Amino acid sequence: MTTHKNLLGGPDPTYLPENEEAYRLLGEESRPPAEVAAQYPTFSLAWAMLADDAFEAGRVVESYAYARTGYHRGLDALRRAGWKGHGPIPWDHRANRGFLRCLAALARAAGAIDEKDETERCWQFLKDSSEEAYAELKR
């Protein structure tokens, strides 16, 4: 992947490392997200899938908990990848999508339990991190 120097002086995009085995378990083996999250607890996509499933089933607090877990695991991974607390987290990089989906799921669940400040903070964080993810996930 080619990274170009940011001429505006902001931080370079952050690209999380891929976890091919976790993707294989979800895809080829059709393993449930809970099993993948248990085997790979740092894999935010599994937590995002759990959050989405719980939300769709009306289990909002459970969705919030799954999303928050994936969000914090993703923050840890971003920091390990060199992220300094701000800057682009590109949606088009597959490994970033789990974190970005958790961030959106956290915003959605926070909104459902009327946690207004958290809802606004998470949506703004998503927009600041990736306009493309924000457009895709805020529906």
Side-chain angles (χ1 to χ4, degrees):
M1 184 169 292
T2 303
T3 303
H4 300 284
K5 180 166 178 53
N6 183 338
L7 300 176
L8 298 176
D12 289 332
T14 302
Y15 299 98
L16 292 172
E18 297 282 356
N19 184 331
E20 295 301 332
E21 179 62 12
Y23 286 115
R24 189 186 69 73
L25 291 174
L26 285 173
E28 292 173 24
E29 294 197 18
S30 299
R31 297 276 179 87
E35 186 178 320
V36 176
Q39 189 168 351
Y40 296 101
T42 62
F43 187 61
S44 291
L45 179 59
W47 295 106
M49 295 170 76
L50 288 166
D52 290 347
D53 291 347
F55 193 85
E56 289 171 16
R59 299 185 318 270
V60 176
V61 171
E62 188 177 322
S63 176
Y64 185 93
Y66 286 136
R68 183 155 298 283
T69 300
Y71 165 78
H72 280 288
R73 291 303 190 123
L75 285 176
D76 292 342
L78 285 165
R79 288 182 189 109
R80 283 191 302 276
W83 186 73
K84 303 291 186 215
H86 67 285
I89 305 168
W91 173 252
D92 64 355
H93 180 65
R94 179 176 74 158
N96 290 351
R97 287 186 176 202
F99 169 75
L100 295 167
R101 284 182 55 184
C102 281
L103 185 52
L106 184 56
R108 180 187 61 218
I113 61 172
D114 205 30
E115 194 176 0
K116 291 182 176 100
D117 290 344
E118 180 76 347
T119 303
E120 291 171 13
R121 183 190 69 79
C122 289
W123 284 128
Q124 189 62 53
F125 184 10
L126 181 63
K127 188 174 186 179
D128 292 346
S129 299
S130 172
E131 289 271 353
E132 188 178 1
Y134 180 81
E136 178 72 22
L137 299 171
K138 190 166 195 274
R139 311 183 207 122

